[in-house]
Amino acid sequence: MPYEAKPLPFKKSLKGISDKTMQIHHDKLYQGYVTKSNEIREKLDAVEKLGNGTLEKANQSYSDLRAMKDGETFAVNGVYLHEYYFNVLGGEGNATGSLVDAIAIEFGSLDNFVKYFKACGLAARGWAVLSWDTHVGALRVYTADAHNQGGVWGAIPVIVLDVYEHAYFIDYGSDRKAYIEDYMTNLNWDAANAVYERAKRF
Ligand code: FE
């Protein structure tokens, strides 16, 4: 199977964000996207090789191919975005490294970035993503209202914030702001630096 669920990259409990939330988030929601990604891939494998009459009926209002292609980007981005999200959690929130230097240059200061990033988390309905945009060779924060909406192709996610309600409602109720505050204190900047170092080679 091409998509495989990865274990959480950290073992410790997070500050504020409960084990229960992480367990539901990882074991149910994330794994669900992996399962669906594989289910759709299996169907698309058959369509790609055999057609099965699906290609002839392709239609943008409604068709089996449209349903599969829409589900594909939703499920696969659901897998990838969650992996980026989990990857930068489990740290102490101590901002250090080359990424912090680059952030200070791009956004004026680390404080400016943190303020902006948190606000983007309040402005988005799904995701706030600090990315390395390979087209301009610079850091950009892009936001998405769904897994398959708002993403910018050629931008590599570095620090990913999930602002769907399932990420915080058990622990914070509707107080998304408090969740985002705690998210920042759980950031693993070493992990973020490692992604940034790889991303900026593109
Ligand atoms: Fe999520």
Side-chain angles (χ1 to χ4, degrees):
M1 284 300 188
Y3 305 103
E4 217 173 306
K6 298 188 174 108
L8 272 180
F10 52 89
K11 299 261 184 278
K12 59 192 269 193
S13 293
L14 300 179
K15 285 159 271 176
I17 304 165
S18 66
D19 292 349
K20 187 180 176 189
T21 291
M22 287 316 292
Q23 199 206 335
I24 293 170
H25 209 162
H26 180 272
D27 297 356
K28 286 217 173 8
L29 297 167
Y30 162 65
Q31 300 233 12
Y33 290 126
V34 172
T35 302
K36 278 292 164 193
S37 294
N38 282 322
E39 191 183 318
I40 298 161
R41 181 88 310 263
E42 210 175 298
K43 285 197 172 177
L44 280 170
D45 273 343
V47 167
E48 287 162 8
K49 291 182 184 106
L50 307 168
N52 288 340
T54 308
L55 304 182
E56 291 73 13
K57 290 181 187 156
N59 181 285
Q60 65 168 350
S61 296
Y62 173 73
S63 60
D64 288 347
L65 187 59
R66 183 181 164 78
M68 279 186 256
K69 297 309 289 177
D70 186 49
E72 180 185 36
T73 51
F74 191 83
V76 174
N77 279 324
V79 173
Y80 296 167
L81 284 163
H82 280 103
E83 287 176 357
Y84 287 117
Y85 171 71
F86 296 139
N87 181 54
V88 292
L89 287 174
E92 298 302 320
N94 300 322
T96 52
S98 57
L99 175 57
V100 177
D101 300 336
I103 282 172
I105 291 166
E106 185 63 41
F107 301 97
S109 71
L110 178 63
D111 279 354
N112 285 354
F113 163 73
V114 170
K115 264 190 219 149
Y116 173 51
F117 190 68
K118 284 180 187 169
C120 287
L122 293 174
R125 295 174 193 151
W127 301 94
V129 180
L130 173 68
S131 316
W132 178 253
D133 185 331
T134 60
H135 295 271
V136 287
L139 292 165
R140 292 281 185 271
V141 178
Y142 293 119
T143 59
D145 288 342
H147 308 333
N148 57 353
Q149 180 278 333
V152 173
W153 290 8
I156 301 170
V158 178
I159 295 178
V160 171
L161 167 61
D162 188 338
V163 292
Y164 276 89
E165 285 178 352
H166 63 242
Y168 61 88
F169 220 82
I170 290 173
D171 305 317
Y172 303 89
S174 60
D175 193 353
R176 191 197 288 187
K177 208 170 180 182
Y179 156 69
I180 294 174
E181 288 293 335
D182 282 350
Y183 166 88
M184 297 305 295
T185 71
N186 285 296
L187 269 185
N188 179 344
W189 283 87
D190 289 342
N193 271 294
V195 179
Y196 168 66
E197 286 298 331
R198 281 203 308 277
K200 75 173 181 183
R201 284 193 226 121
F202 281 89

